[in-house]
Amino acid sequence: GFSRWEKDGANMGSARTLALPMNYHHTVNAIYAPLRTLTVSSINPGSGVAITVWTRDFNGLRNGTTAFTRTYLDGKVASLTAPSTISGMHFVHWLRNGVAQGPSRTISIEMIADNAVSAVYGL
């Protein structure tokens, strides 16, 4: 997806339109980066958990209810927070690509590849 503009090697921002006065010769490049998918789910319950997504994705989306996906530019850091309880169940940990991530309800993921995270709940 479109990442940013560069003018003469300098970052000109991520707005999709670039206004450039032509008072001099310039080299302008549109920089594209791969898009990475973050799949967010929950375990016990298997769906219906409202997750706070602190980092807007490529399409401007944030929060979601499991199960959902968000799309990020390569290298972007996505941060999510799960609720402490849902339907009488308590947050236990996040699973990231099948590996337990510890007891913090907030997880941050550098999106250098597709990732799958699950908020796991128990008694």
Side-chain angles (χ1 to χ4, degrees):
F2 176 76
S3 176
R4 68 184 183 281
W5 289 104
E6 286 185 357
K7 179 184 85 172
D8 301 326
N11 185 342
M12 298 303 293
S14 61
R16 301 219 176 163
T17 302
L18 177 67
L20 183 65
M22 292 306 297
N23 56 354
Y24 188 74
H25 297 284
H26 295 285
T27 300
V28 178
N29 292 306
I31 307 300
Y32 287 83
L35 294 175
R36 307 298 185 186
T37 300
L38 177 62
T39 302
V40 182
S41 62
S42 58
I43 297 172
N44 205 17
S47 65
V49 177
I51 303 293
T52 301
V53 180
W54 300 101
T55 313
R56 289 190 191 281
D57 81 346
F58 183 74
N59 300 305
L61 300 174
R62 288 190 46 209
N63 302 340
T65 301
T66 60
F68 64 95
T69 61
R70 293 293 177 260
T71 305
Y72 293 94
L73 286 172
D74 185 66
K76 187 87 168 169
V77 174
S79 294
L80 301 90
T81 301
S84 59
T85 59
I86 185 82
S87 302
M89 304 299 275
H90 297 279
F91 179 83
V92 177
H93 60 254
W94 284 101
L95 287 178
R96 177 178 172 206
N97 301 324
V99 178
Q101 299 297 300
S104 175
R105 293 186 306 116
T106 298
I107 187 170
S108 294
I109 303 151
E110 184 178 10
M111 296 297 297
I112 56 176
D114 292 345
N115 282 272
V117 295
S118 296
V120 180
Y121 289 84
L123 292 174

